[in-house]
Amino acid sequence: MKAVCFKEFGSTSDALSIQTIPKPFVSSPSQVLIKIHACALNPIDKIRLSGGLAAVSPEPFETSVLGYDISGVVEEVGEEAVSSFKVGDEVFARLKGMYYGALAEYVICEVPELAKKPANISFVEAAAVPLAGLTALQALRRGGVKEGSKVFIPGGAGGVGSIAIQIAKKMLGAAHVCTTASQGAGMEICKQAGADQIIDYRSEDFEDVLKGEDFDMGFDTMNQAVKMGSLLMKGGKIISISGTPTIEAIQESNPSPSYIIRIVMFLSRNRAAERAAAKNGGTWEYIFMKPKGSDLSELATYLESEDIKPVIDTEADGLENFKVAVDKLMSGRSKGKCVIKVA
């Protein structure tokens, strides 16, 4: 099959190329083979391609295929998977096992990661949801967002921010969601997502604008946790997905990290963010998203009702045009998600 691979680390799309590699196959009862119809890129792909994850997850360069988000059609089902999925089902997922990766014609996925795609959205739209949607939903829930909550979500025009605003308002019932964006397309995306307050980050500092206000939760998508502490009410929470992770976050997925990783995490811990939150009687925590099909199925209900809509910045037509999407991701200027239509 064809796939977008890299054989060495690099900071541009020139490190990637179309390669022909073996087609994956079902090798355990809980696996499903998916013919990919669309795949999406995320900031973590940029970090991975540049070598930023190598210490935690070394790359087998001969088959390093970029990407985590997919949508497609089930082509083969393991013996235990037949109770959940059948051949022909339209599905979407954030890959965990990484059997080759998302920018390919086929991929293997485990049943717990997989969910059925809503029939009324396209494969391109579905591929834009998993990583961003799961990250936002799990972070907001970890932060205790519920009906009536007041939430601050900076970076509302990004892939995670734009869907986080919608989840906070439509799924979790937040009463007030404040975000930041630039004038023009960014602010329009935030308005469409349902933000109640939008701060122009180019001309205003959110610390000054929001001084004296009390937020139940701050969702740190842009490594700004230190600046967000003063905004918390007593008992409020800041949940970070940006910046250096904590050893506690790493241990949730890897209970026995190496000694070197433990030392690095200890030395680079964001103690300033912890102090800033604690000063107002709140807490700060770093989390990693967990690929969960059950959470995706919840999101699918709101995608089907059109209460939640993914924001797509760039759509590349075909794997051979992968650079269109990758270059936009690398530029850091995308508003919403960069997606590749595969089939």
Side-chain angles (χ1 to χ4, degrees):
M1 70 171 184
K2 292 181 179 179
V4 179
C5 306
F6 59 102
K7 297 184 178 182
E8 59 184 18
F9 296 125
S11 59
T12 71
S13 60
D14 291 338
L16 298 162
S17 63
I18 297 283
Q19 301 287 330
T20 298
I21 63 175
K23 178 182 173 181
F25 57 90
V26 172
S27 59
S28 78
S30 62
Q31 290 180 341
V32 174
L33 176 66
I34 301 165
K35 180 177 175 58
I36 297 174
H37 281 237
C39 51
L41 294 163
N42 296 278
I44 192 172
D45 295 305
K46 181 177 180 179
I47 297 170
R48 182 184 172 204
L49 183 61
S50 66
L53 302 179
V56 178
S57 181
E59 296 286 347
F61 281 117
E62 66 275 10
T63 56
S64 290
V65 180
L66 200 64
Y68 295 87
D69 283 346
I70 62 102
S71 65
V73 177
V74 173
E75 191 161 287
E76 185 182 349
V77 183
E79 293 178 3
E80 294 177 3
V82 294
S83 61
S84 302
F85 299 96
K86 66 181 185 300
V87 172
D89 280 347
E90 296 183 350
V91 294
F92 65 141
R94 191 283 193 183
L95 303 175
K96 179 182 179 182
M98 294 305 291
Y99 294 91
Y100 294 132
L103 273 63
E105 294 178 315
Y106 292 89
V107 77
I108 288 290
C109 189
E110 298 284 344
V111 166
E113 304 157 29
L114 202 56
K116 292 180 179 177
K117 177 184 81 67
N120 62 317
I121 68 172
S122 69
F123 286 106
V124 167
E125 290 171 315
V129 171
L131 191 149
L134 290 171
T135 299
L137 178 60
Q138 292 169 14
L140 292 168
R141 281 181 167 162
R142 193 72 160 249
V145 176
K146 59 184 184 298
E147 188 171 349
S149 291
K150 188 174 181 180
V151 188
F152 180 48
I153 306 173
V160 173
S162 59
I163 200 166
I165 294 169
Q166 297 177 71
I167 290 171
K169 295 290 289 187
K170 299 295 179 66
M171 283 186 71
L172 304 179
H176 184 88
V177 174
C178 176
T179 190
T180 62
S182 59
Q183 289 286 349
M187 282 205 171
E188 187 58 34
I189 287 171
C190 295
K191 289 177 184 177
Q192 292 296 320
D196 300 288
Q197 182 180 5
I198 308 169
I199 298 169
D200 179 1
Y201 70 82
R202 293 187 186 278
S203 62
E204 299 176 296
D205 189 320
F206 69 75
E207 285 182 288
D208 295 331
V209 176
L210 301 176
K211 187 176 182 179
E213 296 199 33
D214 293 327
F215 284 84
D216 297 288
M217 189 259 186
F219 183 15
D220 175 29
T221 63
M222 303 176 69
N223 199 18
Q224 297 175 311
V226 174
K227 298 176 64 177
M228 295 166 67
S230 63
L231 308 182
L232 290 182
M233 64 178 295
K234 186 176 181 180
K237 297 181 180 180
I238 298 172
I239 303 297
S240 288
I241 60 167
S242 182
T244 304
T246 60
I247 190 63
E248 293 89 349
I250 289 175
Q251 286 177 317
E252 284 197 19
S253 56
N254 177 14
S256 302
S258 70
Y259 177 74
I260 292 176
I261 290 177
R262 287 173 179 271
I263 292 297
V264 171
M265 293 302 100
F266 175 79
L267 294 175
S268 58
R269 189 179 185 92
N270 194 347
R271 292 178 177 81
E274 289 180 310
R275 289 194 296 268
K279 189 175 181 180
N280 270 33
T283 58
W284 170 82
E285 183 181 359
Y286 192 104
I287 71 163
F288 286 116
M289 180 277 306
K290 295 179 176 62
K292 294 177 65 176
S294 56
D295 283 351
L296 263 186
S297 293
E298 284 190 70
L299 287 168
T301 300
Y302 289 84
L303 290 165
E304 188 171 28
S305 66
E306 299 186 351
D307 285 316
I308 292 177
K309 297 180 180 180
V311 177
I312 296 171
D313 178 284
T314 301
E315 180 182 336
D317 189 13
L319 285 176
E320 65 275 11
N321 293 312
F322 71 86
K323 286 194 173 187
V324 173
V326 174
D327 287 344
K328 191 59 179 288
L329 173 75
M330 294 295 189
S331 75
R333 296 192 298 271
S334 60
K335 299 288 190 292
K337 298 300 293 290
C338 299
V339 185
I340 301 170
K341 186 176 180 181
V342 180

